[in-house]
Structures are given as structure tokens and as C-alpha cells.
Amino acid sequence: MSVCLIFGVRSTKSSGRSSEVSEGSEDEESLDREALAFRFLSTVCSSVDDLKEIGSSQQRAYAWITEEDGLQLKIPKSLTDDNASTFVSRYVLAVLYFALDGSKWSEKFNFLTQVDACAWASVYGSTYGILCNAQFEPYSIDMTLNSLKGFIP
């Protein structure tokens, strides 16, 4: 079982691995962006099987954040890196988008655009979508009446 929480960026792995990306025998500079992201995400957030399963929400989010995301955030080495929370939040929200059939939502909330995930929201008298705190960390998701369909992995 793998759990990756957006809020507070915590990870629990039944394998007992730590949240630090282990230093492998490969020289980090020789790894491409996809390999670095795969190593990080499979250590702190998603299982190797989920990341490799073609069509899974995790695999699709991994492909999006490494190849298509307009922000092209630096891949963190560990959860203690300055940008780890932002990277993991963006990945987890992309997993949510793919798992809940985001392309068919009645309101897209700017999901998967190159703006900060805290701007993945709409304002109709109050804010819906991703709600963030003063430190720009997501703390709530409100997608009431938005044609959500699927399961959250």
C-alpha cells in the first residue's frame, strides 16, 4: 500500500523504504529527467508497478509532469528539498485529474496548465478547486457538482 498525501507531503510505504531517495550506483548527472522523476516518485509516493502500468493514473501523471508540464519543475532528490512539496503536490493533483476523468469535468479549474497548482481553481462567489494556504500549499479540494467519475488510487 502506498499513500502520498498532498497536505504535509508524507509518505508511507509497506516496503519500509525511507522517504529519502537512495543513492544508486548510477551517477545522478547521467540520469535523464524521466529517470530522476521515476526514482523520486517510486521512493516517496507511488509504487514502481503503478508508475509502469500503462494507462494508470500514476503513470499518466508521471508522464505529464516529466514531459508535458509547462513548469518543468526541478526533480527533487528527497522530501527535504525546497521544491519537494510543490513537485509532489503537482504530481498528486495530476493523479487525481487522471483518476477522476478530468478531461470530462464540467469545470476544468486550470488543471494541468503551466500555472501554479494553487491557481487550479475558479471563483464563483467563493473559491472552488484547489485551495491553498498562505505558503501556497494545497490544503483542500472542493469540486462540488463537477462530474467526477472514477476512483482515487
Side-chain angles (χ1 to χ4, degrees), residues 119-137:
W120 292 358
S122 296
V123 179
Y124 301 107
S126 63
T127 304
Y128 296 97
I130 305 305
L131 307 176
C132 294
N133 62 21
Q135 291 76 39
F136 299 100
E137 299 166 333

Side-chain angles (χ1 to χ4, degrees), residues 14 27 33 36 42 52 58 61 87 90 94 96-97 105 118-120 123 127-129 141:
S14 60
D27 179 38
R33 179 173 177 76
L36 288 170
S42 66
K52 286 184 175 182
Q58 295 91 334
F87 185 87
R90 203 163 172 82
L96 178 81
Y97 176 87
W105 291 348
C118 290
W120 292 358
V123 179
T127 304
Y128 296 97
I141 301 171

Side-chain angles (χ1 to χ4, degrees), residues 3-110:
V3 178
C4 187
L5 299 176
I6 300 171
F7 319 114
V9 186
R10 297 195 177 151
S11 174
T12 61
K13 290 278 200 180
S14 60
S15 65
R17 291 182 288 179
S18 75
S19 62
E20 288 286 320
V21 176
S22 61
E23 294 295 324
S25 59
E26 296 177 274
D27 179 38
E28 189 168 296
E29 291 178 14
S30 70
L31 295 176
D32 63 13
R33 179 173 177 76
E34 289 180 28
L36 288 170
F38 189 89
R39 187 169 72 180
F40 175 74
L41 291 171
S42 66
T43 303
V44 303
C45 206
S46 293
S47 73
V48 169
D49 291 341
D50 287 338
L51 289 169
K52 286 184 175 182
E53 183 182 337
I54 302 299
S56 73
S57 53
Q58 295 91 334
Q59 182 271 326
R60 293 172 70 194
Y62 157 70
W64 173 79
I65 203 164
T66 57
E67 299 168 16
E68 301 168 33
D69 183 4
L71 288 186
Q72 290 295 290
L73 297 173
K74 181 180 176 187
I75 309 296
K77 296 176 188 173
S78 75
L79 288 176
T80 60
D81 284 7
D82 288 341
N83 71 322
S85 178
T86 301
F87 185 87
V88 171
S89 294
R90 203 163 172 82
Y91 167 76
V92 170
L93 291 169
V95 169
L96 178 81
Y97 176 87
F98 290 115
L100 298 178
D101 210 6
S103 65
K104 295 181 181 171
W105 291 348
S106 51
E107 170 60 58
K108 303 293 191 260
F109 297 111
N110 295 317

